[in-house]
Amino acid sequence: MEYATLGRSGLRVSTAGLGTMNFGAPGGCDETEATRIVDAFLEAGGNVIDTADAYTGGEAERIVGRAVRGRRDEVVLATKAFLPQGSGPNDRGLSRAHLTRALEDSLRRLGTDHIDLYQCHHWDDSTPIEETMATLDGFVRSGKVRYIGCSNFTAAQIVEAQWAAQRVGGTPFVSLQPEYSLVARGIEAEILPVCLRHGLGTLVWSPLGGGVLSGRYRSGETPGADTRLGRLMASPISAARTWAEGFLTESNLAIAGHVADAAAELGVASAAVALAWVRSRPEVTSVIVGPRTLDQLRGNLAGLDLVLPSDVAAHLDEISR
């Protein structure tokens, strides 16, 4: 396992991160399998474990806390806050009121006295960014949080947050957690340059494009009921169906076909090629994988160790640009 410095900080993180959205989730993995995944990830040298208070109603945080008990110092523990935690008007967002309660709840569920990387899950239009950054700075000064970051922010929002931290004399963000893959390269235009300018490392999620790049989906075929996108397509929640449909476009499936061709040529799995491409990008600090099984984790880690031949990498770069 290799390590890199996270943004403009002294924190060293593994270039593979473990995402935990599947922990305890319907269609995901139970606590026994999740613990095996955590064990194998740490044994392989990984140290970044990323979760959120919204994952399975907080159950993912509880599972992670129990899984790392007795070896907490080996882990860069990252969690996020923003999404609703109740029905009240202050049960969501990035206000001082909500973040203070959300942090205490996450600490309790994780069974720890501090979070290594506390992240704003989304931008909050209803809260002044100065209030958010001052609140996060207070968490750092109290020792309950070591570093702060954001997830799913636009380039302009990152700039606003970093400027606000300066105005309040507070702690700046050291990381961004964006979506990035061969079928989702939008962050290259503005967001990655802004991250470089403002000292943010990147912990990228969905490197397999919702699973499309694993080769499990075909044009004109309905996703299987046992697949992630198949479950989302069958969801009663319209936003979930729309999100899944956004991955299953003809252009995305065509890119997945090129990935499969490259994988066949190299004698490896399609997922390995897709992960190796993301891992090779110089702007990426760590690639977050979210396995449901121990075998998936092992396959993901093998893919992140793969070095693509230069001609293969250049071809994938061109057809997905």
Side-chain angles (χ1 to χ4, degrees), residues 18-20 23-24 29-43 46-51 58-77 108-112 297:
L18 179 62
T20 62
F23 287 12
C29 57
D30 61 19
E31 184 164 356
T32 299
E33 186 70 357
T35 301
R36 294 174 66 207
I37 290 170
V38 170
D39 290 345
F41 177 73
L42 295 178
E43 288 168 7
N47 69 351
V48 178
I49 299 181
D50 179 74
T51 188
E59 183 60 18
E61 286 187 327
R62 283 186 282 267
I63 290 173
V64 168
R66 290 189 287 264
V68 303
R69 190 174 298 156
R71 49 188 174 175
R72 172 67 182 86
D73 291 343
E74 301 175 29
V75 178
V76 174
L77 191 55
R108 173 178 48 78
R109 286 189 292 262
L110 288 163
T112 187
L297 173 69

Side-chain angles (χ1 to χ4, degrees), residues 59-122:
E59 183 60 18
E61 286 187 327
R62 283 186 282 267
I63 290 173
V64 168
R66 290 189 287 264
V68 303
R69 190 174 298 156
R71 49 188 174 175
R72 172 67 182 86
D73 291 343
E74 301 175 29
V75 178
V76 174
L77 191 55
T79 193
K80 300 181 284 290
F82 169 86
L83 294 172
Q85 297 297 296
S87 58
N90 291 308
D91 288 340
R92 62 172 294 162
L94 301 179
S95 68
R96 179 174 287 108
H98 178 63
L99 285 177
T100 300
R101 187 182 310 117
L103 174 61
E104 294 299 330
D105 288 345
S106 287
L107 290 169
R108 173 178 48 78
R109 286 189 292 262
L110 288 163
T112 187
D113 63 357
H114 72 280
I115 305 297
D116 296 297
L117 179 62
Y118 198 56
Q119 303 158 103
C120 299
H121 210 152
H122 296 275

Side-chain angles (χ1 to χ4, degrees), residues 3-255:
Y3 303 87
T5 302
L6 184 61
R8 202 171 291 158
S9 79
L11 184 65
R12 300 283 290 174
V13 296
S14 53
T15 53
L18 179 62
T20 62
M21 185 181 286
N22 281 314
F23 287 12
C29 57
D30 61 19
E31 184 164 356
T32 299
E33 186 70 357
T35 301
R36 294 174 66 207
I37 290 170
V38 170
D39 290 345
F41 177 73
L42 295 178
E43 288 168 7
N47 69 351
V48 178
I49 299 181
D50 179 74
T51 188
D53 59 3
Y55 293 171
T56 325
E59 183 60 18
E61 286 187 327
R62 283 186 282 267
I63 290 173
V64 168
R66 290 189 287 264
V68 303
R69 190 174 298 156
R71 49 188 174 175
R72 172 67 182 86
D73 291 343
E74 301 175 29
V75 178
V76 174
L77 191 55
T79 193
K80 300 181 284 290
F82 169 86
L83 294 172
Q85 297 297 296
S87 58
N90 291 308
D91 288 340
R92 62 172 294 162
L94 301 179
S95 68
R96 179 174 287 108
H98 178 63
L99 285 177
T100 300
R101 187 182 310 117
L103 174 61
E104 294 299 330
D105 288 345
S106 287
L107 290 169
R108 173 178 48 78
R109 286 189 292 262
L110 288 163
T112 187
D113 63 357
H114 72 280
I115 305 297
D116 296 297
L117 179 62
Y118 198 56
Q119 303 158 103
C120 299
H121 210 152
H122 296 275
W123 178 265
D124 183 0
D125 282 323
S126 65
T127 299
I129 188 59
E130 291 84 359
E131 177 180 335
T132 299
M133 300 308 290
T135 300
L136 295 171
D137 179 64
F139 295 165
V140 173
R141 293 177 186 274
S142 73
K144 293 180 179 180
V145 168
R146 299 291 190 257
Y147 299 90
I148 58 174
C150 55
S151 179
N152 306 307
F153 276 33
T154 66
Q157 290 163 355
I158 293 168
V159 173
E160 284 295 318
Q162 298 299 73
W163 283 354
Q166 290 182 347
R167 288 195 296 273
V168 302
T171 305
F173 288 143
V174 299
S175 66
L176 171 72
Q177 195 174 131
E179 180 182 6
Y180 191 47
S181 72
L182 279 162
V183 298
R185 297 181 60 181
I187 65 171
E188 293 176 357
E190 295 183 350
I191 292 176
L192 288 179
V194 163
C195 285
L196 180 63
R197 174 70 179 83
H198 288 270
L200 278 68
T202 55
L203 309 163
V204 301
W205 59 271
S206 198
L208 295 178
V212 168
L213 297 170
S214 68
R216 302 189 70 181
Y217 306 99
R218 297 286 187 274
S219 178
E221 296 181 5
T222 301
D226 62 336
T227 65
R228 182 187 186 192
L229 294 184
R231 289 190 294 271
L232 290 171
M233 293 283 282
S235 171
I237 302 172
S238 61
R241 296 194 300 273
T242 300
W243 190 80
E245 290 166 358
F247 279 114
L248 296 171
T249 65
E250 288 302 317
S251 60
N252 285 357
L253 291 170
I255 292 169

